[in-house]
């Protein structure tokens, strides 16, 4: 019977330096490759058996090993959840990946479409507006915190026209209106308008939509002080 020698990285696709990153972050490696881009498992095994300097690459933290760690981290973070370039860059920096290795991986991921801030912004606006009822002001604020470029943010939120935004505001008020019945008139108006304001709707629109909804129930709001 032939005894099989288990070389680190030959079957797992990771050398000692990247093994912990792959296990911690779940980043897959390419079939038939070792920890560095373009290095076959067989070649790595021969290098180690001959005692060449590459046998201690992980311990020395050489550039190719760091690039592979960055690659694995990004793949893990992108699994099932789109992320912006800044989010990934921050994650790599937190894990002490050098800027040069991080830049190489992030640029490559952009080239192949794994990072696409424009598509991320479009999807974010669609999801957060229809799912949470957020207005443009709130959407801009959220996208900025995720590091999306201002021009891409403007383009994404530009998909929401004022009529659509106001219609969403009316739907939000309609869902909350019943729960405010029985409250003091002023308090009811402030509560509903405040709910819209927190979701990024302008003061003028929020007050107008709430007043119209309450008046539609037959309540007189003449002489009522504005809550803003």
């Amino acid at each position: 019977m032939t005894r099989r020698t288990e070389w680190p990285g030959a079957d797992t696709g990771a050398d000692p330096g990247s093994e912990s990153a792959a296990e911690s972050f779940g980043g897959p490696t390419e079939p038939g490759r070792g920890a560095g881009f373009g290095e076959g498992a067989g070649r790595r095994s021969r290098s180690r058996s001959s005692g060449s300097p590459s046998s201690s690459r992980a311990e020395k933290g050489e550039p190719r090993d760091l690039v592979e760690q960055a690659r694995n981290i990004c793949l893990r973070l992108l699994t099932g959840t789109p992320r912006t370039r800044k989010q990934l860059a921050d994650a790599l920096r937190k894990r002490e990946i050098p800027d040069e290795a991080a830049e190489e991986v992030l640029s490559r991921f952009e080239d192949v479409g794994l990072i696409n801030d424009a598509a991320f912004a479009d999807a974010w606006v669609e999801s957060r507006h229809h799912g949470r009822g957020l207005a443009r002001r709130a959407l801009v604020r959220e996208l900025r915190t995720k590091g999306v470029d201002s021009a891409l943010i403007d383009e994404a939120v530009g998909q929401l026209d004022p009529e659509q935004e106001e219609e969403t505001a009316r739907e939000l008020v309609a869902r909350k209106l019943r729960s405010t019945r029985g409250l003091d008139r002023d308090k009811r108006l402030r509560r509903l308008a405040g709910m819209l304001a927190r979701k990024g709707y302008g003061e003028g629109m929020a007050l107008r939509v709430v007043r119209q909804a309450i008046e539609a129930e037959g309540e007189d709001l003449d002489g009522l002080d504005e809550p803003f």
Side-chain angles (χ1 to χ4, degrees):
M1 177 181 297
T2 301
R3 183 177 180 182
R4 180 181 179 184
T5 301
E6 298 292 343
W7 293 103
D11 294 323
T12 63
D15 60 33
S18 64
E19 182 177 357
S20 60
E23 291 178 350
S24 299
F25 302 103
T29 55
E30 296 177 9
R33 292 180 180 265
F37 292 151
E39 292 194 78
R43 177 181 173 183
R44 182 169 297 281
S45 297
R46 290 194 298 272
S47 296
R48 296 180 180 213
S49 63
S50 62
S52 69
S54 65
S55 62
S56 59
R57 296 179 80 190
E59 290 79 2
K60 294 180 179 179
E62 293 187 8
R64 287 294 89 189
D65 184 66
L66 293 170
V67 167
E68 180 65 10
Q69 289 185 44
R71 175 179 176 273
N72 287 340
I73 291 169
C74 288
L75 286 173
R76 172 68 178 120
L77 292 173
L78 287 168
T79 301
T81 305
R83 297 177 190 270
T84 65
R85 178 174 177 131
K86 182 181 184 300
Q87 287 178 303
L88 293 173
D90 288 346
L92 294 177
R93 191 174 299 110
K94 183 178 180 181
R95 292 163 174 82
E96 300 183 349
I97 298 295
D99 291 343
E100 184 176 353
E103 179 65 24
E104 178 175 340
V105 171
L106 294 173
S107 295
R108 175 57 179 164
F109 275 35
E110 278 189 327
D111 289 343
V112 300
L114 290 174
I115 299 175
N116 188 330
D117 283 2
F120 178 95
D122 289 344
W124 188 267
V125 168
E126 177 73 16
S127 172
R128 300 288 283 177
H129 178 73
H130 293 290
R132 298 289 302 278
L134 298 187
R136 282 176 288 187
R137 185 182 301 175
L139 293 168
V140 167
R141 187 165 55 244
E142 290 187 341
L143 288 171
R144 281 177 179 166
T145 65
K146 297 184 180 301
V148 179
D149 182 78
S150 295
L152 297 180
I153 293 175
D154 291 342
E155 185 175 346
V157 299
Q159 300 173 34
L160 297 177
D161 57 68
E163 291 77 15
Q164 180 182 357
E165 197 172 39
E166 184 164 333
E167 179 60 29
T168 301
R170 294 185 187 283
E171 293 173 357
L172 290 170
V173 171
R175 290 201 294 266
K176 294 287 186 179
L177 197 62
R178 179 177 297 181
S179 66
T180 66
R181 288 172 185 165
L183 295 176
D184 175 80
R185 185 185 64 174
D186 292 8
K187 185 175 182 179
R188 190 181 191 197
L189 184 63
R190 286 195 298 270
R191 178 171 296 185
L192 291 169
M195 177 269 295
L196 290 180
R198 289 190 297 274
K199 289 183 177 290
Y201 292 89
E203 296 177 0
M205 178 191 290
L207 180 61
R208 182 176 69 254
V209 168
V210 173
R211 288 180 67 100
Q212 291 173 352
I214 294 178
E215 287 175 339
E217 291 186 332
E219 189 165 350
D220 184 12
L221 296 180
D222 288 341
L224 183 66
D225 293 334
E226 295 186 0
F228 298 101

